Each structure stands twice: as C-alpha cells, then as structure tokens.
Amino acid sequence: MRWHKRLLAAGAVATLTLTATACGGGKIRGGADGSEGSTQPGTSQNGQNPSSAADATFVYVPNLDVVTDWDPASSYSNEILAMQNIYESLTRYNPQTKQAEPRLATSWTSSDDGTKWTFTLRQGATFHTGKPVDAAAAKAAIERTMEMEAGAAYIWDAVKKIEVEDSSTLKFTLKYPTALDLVASAGYASYVYDTTAAGSGDLKTWFGEGHDAGSGPYTIDTWEKGKETELTLKAFDDYWGGWDGPRYKKIAYRVTPELTTAWQLLRGGEVTFVERLNPQLFAEAGGTPTVQAAQTPSFQNLLTLFNTHSGPLKDVRLRQALQKAIDYDGVVAALKGAGAPAAGLVPEGLLGYDAGQTPKQDLAGAEALLKEAGYGPGGKKLELTLTYAQGDSDQEVLVTLLSSTLDTLNVKLSAKPLQWTTQWDQAKAKDPAKRQDILVMYWWPDYADAFSWFVNIFRSEDPISFNLSYLRDDAIDKRIDELPQLTATDRDAAEKTYAELQRKIINERAAVSVPYVMNYQRAFATSVQGYVDNPAYPNVVFVHDLKPGA
C-alpha cells in the first residue's frame, strides 16, 4: 500500500499529551497553545532515553499515518513499519545474500520438483498472548489468512494443503512449484499469529481495537489514531531473541508530515530516525555531526496511474500524450539522488526488469496526440484532476514539473495533496464520476518478486482495491495468472512474459507511467548502531537488531 499501498498514508499532526507508557509525558512541539515546547521528557540528544541505553526509546518519524489495518491477515499498508516489529513470518529476506533466512523457521527443505516443502520451527518462541508458537498455530494463522483472501493473501495461492507433522514441523503441498521460502518472507500476509487470541470474540474486531497476537520483539503499548505520536510499542520480555546487552526497549512512531519539521526534530535530538528527507535536507544531514545519513537503492517506484475507465482519459491517445509529457530526466535531476531512472514497472534487481523500457519526454509527440484527440494548443482546453500524497516533497516535484509542462500544451491540471485514506477512498468510489483522472502513488513488492505489481495493480478486480487505473483486459489477466508457475519452472519464459506485459500495459494500453525508482535517503542519530536498509521491507526498521550507543 504501498506511500503505498499500501501506500503511505498521509498523517495529520495533532496536539498530544503523552502518557507515561508512551514516551514519557509532556507536550510535543507545536501544541494547541502555539508554543514550541522542548525536548520531550524521557528523550535527549540523539533521540534516546537519557537514563540508560538499556531503556532507550527509538523514535521513528514517518510523514504519513501509521495504521490503517491491525489484522495481520489483511494488513496491506503503511502499518508494515510497526507490524514487522510485532509479528514474525517463517523466514526473512536477506538483501546481502538475496535469499530467505531463518526467522520462526530455523530450517526448511523442498522436494526436487518444488511442490513439497517442510519447515522446522524454532523451539521456545511464544506469542504475546503467552501461547507457544508451534506448527498447529502457524498452520491456523496461514490458513485463516488464505481463507480471508484479503490484502496480500494471494502469496499463498500455490498452497494446496498444510499439514502438521509434529509440534515443530510444518509441511506444505503445493498446486505448482513455487519458491515457498521466499513467499514466506513476504512483508505482508506471511505473519504467524495466535488465531485464538480473541477467545470466543471476533478476532478481526479484536485486532481492530488495537490488540496484537504476534511473536515479535515488541507488542502494542499505546495507539491513538490521529495523534502526533500515533503509536508506541514496548518490549515483549519473553521474546525468543532475548534482550541481552543494550537494546531499544520502546518504539514511538511520531507522525510528522513536514520534512523540515522532521529534520529539526532529528537535529535537535528529539527523535531517532527520519525515514526520508528532501535532497537539500539530506545533504545537510550528511554534514551534521550528530546525524548519520545513508542512501541505498530500493524496490520502490512511483506510479502515475491513468483512469482508463471514465473521464477524458478513456481516450488512449490522451493517456499516451501524458506519458510523453512527463519530464523523466528533469524529475530525476531535481530529486538530486533521491530517485533513479525507471525502466518499466519492475525495478532493477528483480526478475522482469527490462532496461529497454526507460521512458523519455517527447513534447512534440504529446502535442500531436493531443491535437489528434481535439485538444492541445489551438484546440480545446483539457482539464484533468490528479491526487498525490500530502507532505511528499518528491511527488510534489513531479506534480510541479508536470503541471508546468501541461500548461504549455493547453492542459489544466488540478492537483490535490491528500492523506492516503482520503486519496484511496476517492479512487475506489463506486461512482466513476467521483474518481480522479490521475493518481500518483508508490508501490513495492510483497516479497522480492515482481508479481505484486501485476496482480495487484493491473489485473481486473471488482470491487476496486489497488487497480486504480481501472484496467480491464482478459488477455492481460491470463498472462498475469501464468507468472507464478513460470517463475518457478521456466525463468526465461517468465522474463519474456514480464517484458510482454510491460509493453502491453505501458505502451499499448497506456495505463501507467513510471517517473522514477526511489533511492532511500535516511537520516538517523549517530547513537544508532547496526542499521541496514532492507528493500524487501520498505521503510521498516527492525529495531531489535539495533543497539543504542552513548
């Protein structure tokens, strides 16, 4: 959701008086009385608790709301930031080895034909409810996720049967060969959780009240939707990974839409980690002694989705004109390292990457297509609506440049920055007249595989979820459905299918343009030790892996 997807949801800053169980009580900067406030009690320079490193609080600053769905079976948005610290899956993707590594499963084997997989579970792991993490619990969680068919549950589509051999052995029989160890490392829908946590009550309702049933190192402490510090997590004392040595015992997610404010908080030592800065602030962070700055490539790209179903953009010529109007090189240059040129839908490093799909601006071609459709200079004025993420300076760069270019082509672009939930609700409106013409959003894969872009965004669906170009094409659907098995059995054929689909979706149907692929530009306190960006889990900090320094 991808933000996204999944998408980063935009958050509003509100006044908040913290409880003792959050980050220590006291007003946050920018209270209702207009005061600036000061460093929050319980934090000091470099965003950590001054009492001792062992009791440190990791203060994460997203620019969008954190939680849209607490149910680990259906969660498919920005709450991944917290969920990956609360819940665990059987495996986790390692960006250095580009393979799955142990998490709740310590080892696994597969049959020669790739249709039978056996996972051995870790001994001694327990859920936050106190119940043991065993094979029966894992089976129940995965089966519930599959049955709900929500969010990213499609990742388990290859599974025909799950069997419990003994308390620590879980066996999967598949309908077709699939790299199940990689599937089990997915950022969404792969979580193992206690399905009995609500007792006789409704589990989804129970989750929605702000409860969790994970086995990860942290559990929910406080959750106040709409507040600046929206969410705090606290250490789960019985975590199987232990708490030896200095660790962050609490995590606070402090929503700060304005990047300048986020940077001031970090520089002043009030917070620990800012997930993104604009290029100017990132450069400043690199020269600030109390701050670390890191830039890494990602699997996350920006999508500009065109409404193929209703409004003026039903005309494919107008969609193609918009594709040609985008100043791709200009956007990348303006981002100053925060973005890299895109080549199709699939980022480099994943099967399906097609270097030949790099787009270029073509204003003459855009004008010709507009003229052919009766618009453009000397013709009718074309009026379009666009929505993008509130507080996202990178998306603002795209929107500003595109608006300026379109103005020279006699196209008026009315662009609205919205919180993700508002943007998404508008995009899913049952009345097509209420939908936007263009929607800008990020996407990244559910696990280290390109299938996510195609099955979620461009496969026909009803009701609408993330197919926000509203594309319906039976031939495209058929090719998308072939991808999982091809990927497991014939990678050359899968590569060819990905290339064909991208040419069909981007060039022929003109359902989307891809302005750039993100480079993650992080800034965090010098006290943080051990941070590594993992592109398979965008913007997630696995806080238990870190050590707070002095």
Side-chain angles (χ1 to χ4, degrees):
M1 172 154 151
R2 8 83 110 324
W3 359 332
H4 93 50
K5 238 170 162 203
R6 281 169 357 166
L7 309 172
L8 292 180
V13 180
T15 306
L16 172 64
T17 300
L18 296 175
T19 64
T21 56
C23 291
K27 284 188 177 180
I28 287 182
R29 182 184 299 274
D33 59 359
S35 63
E36 280 294 302
S38 60
T39 300
Q40 297 177 63
T43 61
S44 67
Q45 292 296 315
N46 300 325
Q48 72 172 57
N49 190 309
S51 58
S52 72
D55 296 327
T57 296
F58 188 91
V59 185
Y60 185 119
V61 178
N63 68 312
L64 304 165
D65 289 346
V66 179
V67 181
T68 59
D69 184 357
W70 271 127
D71 191 332
S74 55
S75 164
Y76 204 31
S77 192
N78 201 31
E79 61 271 0
I80 188 176
L81 305 179
M83 298 289 272
Q84 285 290 336
N85 285 288
I86 297 169
Y87 292 91
E88 297 177 299
S89 46
L90 295 175
T91 62
R92 186 168 77 172
Y93 181 75
N94 184 317
Q96 280 73 46
T97 65
K98 297 184 178 180
Q99 296 179 337
E101 65 182 10
R103 204 171 187 186
L104 284 177
T106 56
S107 62
W108 51 91
T109 60
S110 64
S111 60
D112 291 340
D113 66 359
T115 61
K116 296 184 185 299
W117 289 75
T118 302
F119 290 81
T120 300
L121 300 191
R122 185 177 301 279
Q123 298 290 314
T126 58
F127 292 115
H128 303 160
T129 59
K131 295 189 176 181
V133 179
D134 56 22
K139 175 179 184 291
I142 295 170
E143 287 181 341
R144 176 179 179 269
T145 297
M146 292 170 60
E147 290 166 3
M148 284 182 61
E149 297 183 333
Y154 75 90
I155 66 171
W156 301 108
D157 281 355
V159 175
K160 179 180 181 181
K161 181 173 59 174
I162 306 175
E163 298 174 283
V164 173
E165 187 170 279
D166 56 46
S167 63
S168 61
T169 308
L170 197 61
K171 301 183 71 172
F172 292 82
T173 301
L174 308 185
K175 304 168 192 172
Y176 48 83
T178 292
L180 201 64
D181 56 343
L182 201 59
V183 169
S185 73
Y188 302 90
S190 65
Y191 303 119
V192 174
Y193 51 93
D194 182 4
T195 59
T196 69
S200 60
D202 179 71
L203 185 57
K204 190 166 191 64
T205 300
W206 185 83
F207 282 132
E209 294 169 347
H211 302 293
D212 77 80
S215 62
Y218 300 93
T219 186
I220 297 170
D221 186 12
T222 65
W223 177 47
E224 296 180 279
K225 190 68 176 176
K227 297 293 187 179
E228 183 174 358
T229 298
E230 177 185 341
L231 174 68
T232 64
L233 308 181
K234 61 183 179 182
F236 174 52
D237 292 337
D238 294 329
Y239 180 55
W240 62 264
W243 294 95
D244 294 341
R247 304 271 186 181
Y248 289 100
K249 289 296 188 74
K250 287 187 177 181
I251 308 174
Y253 295 91
R254 183 171 175 177
V255 180
T256 308
E258 294 300 324
L259 300 186
T260 300
T261 303
W263 166 240
Q264 291 170 346
L265 292 171
L266 179 62
R267 188 178 57 187
E270 293 187 51
V271 302
T272 316
F273 182 94
V274 176
E275 72 180 17
R276 57 176 306 177
L277 293 171
N278 62 36
Q280 294 75 21
L281 294 176
F282 183 72
E284 185 177 344
T288 302
T290 58
V291 174
Q292 302 179 63
Q295 177 174 306
T296 57
S298 82
F299 293 154
Q300 182 174 336
N301 54 18
L302 187 72
L303 306 180
T304 304
L305 294 164
F306 305 120
N307 188 334
T308 64
H309 178 69
S310 62
L313 295 188
K314 285 180 66 176
D315 188 331
V316 68
R317 295 171 299 183
L318 297 181
R319 302 198 300 270
Q320 291 170 335
L322 289 172
Q323 289 177 322
K324 293 178 181 296
I326 295 174
D327 184 0
Y328 301 94
D329 292 342
V331 170
V332 169
L335 293 177
K336 298 180 180 180
L345 285 165
V346 182
E348 188 172 3
L350 297 175
L351 179 70
Y353 171 71
D354 185 354
Q357 280 281 348
T358 302
K360 295 293 181 182
Q361 186 181 48
D362 177 5
L363 290 179
E367 184 173 343
L369 285 163
L370 286 167
K371 184 177 180 180
E372 184 181 327
Y375 297 95
K380 294 183 297 182
K381 180 179 286 290
L382 177 61
E383 298 189 4
L384 300 173
T385 60
L386 177 150
T387 63
Y388 66 102
Q390 182 183 36
D392 190 307
S393 62
D394 292 350
Q395 291 188 25
E396 288 174 358
V397 168
L398 168 68
V399 172
T400 300
L401 290 178
L402 181 58
S403 296
S404 178
T405 299
L406 291 179
D407 187 56
T408 68
L409 296 171
N410 198 28
V411 178
K412 180 182 178 181
L413 186 65
S414 298
K416 288 186 178 181
L418 300 172
Q419 294 187 14
W420 168 246
T421 50
T422 304
Q423 185 186 18
W424 195 24
D425 285 344
Q426 177 181 331
K428 295 184 295 179
K430 291 183 179 180
D431 180 359
K434 295 181 179 179
R435 298 171 181 170
Q436 73 296 317
D437 297 312
I438 307 169
L439 184 140
V440 179
M441 73 178 191
Y442 295 111
W443 198 263
W444 58 77
D446 301 310
Y447 56 100
D449 185 274
F451 185 55
S452 174
W453 276 271
F454 298 85
V455 71
N456 287 293
I457 307 176
F458 299 107
R459 198 187 186 288
S460 304
E461 63 178 4
D462 188 18
I464 295 295
S465 183
F466 290 107
N467 181 350
L468 302 177
S469 70
Y470 318 106
L471 184 66
R472 288 185 176 273
D473 189 311
D474 291 342
I476 287 176
D477 293 348
K478 183 175 183 296
R479 299 309 302 277
I480 290 174
D481 292 344
E482 294 169 353
L483 283 169
Q485 188 164 354
L486 283 178
T487 300
T489 61
D490 189 341
R491 291 179 69 83
D492 289 342
E495 189 91 52
K496 182 179 178 181
T497 300
Y498 274 124
E500 292 173 351
L501 279 168
Q502 289 177 87
R503 286 193 290 271
K504 182 78 172 177
I505 293 168
I506 299 173
N507 302 344
E508 295 180 29
R509 299 303 304 274
V512 64
S513 65
V514 187
Y516 60 87
V517 180
M518 287 189 69
N519 286 325
Y520 291 141
Q521 293 184 324
R522 316 294 196 193
F524 47 100
T526 53
S527 58
V528 177
Q529 300 175 18
Y531 175 73
V532 176
D533 227 318
N534 191 327
Y537 310 94
N539 302 301
V540 170
V541 177
F542 292 96
V543 178
H544 186 265
D545 294 346
L546 307 180
K547 294 187 183 300

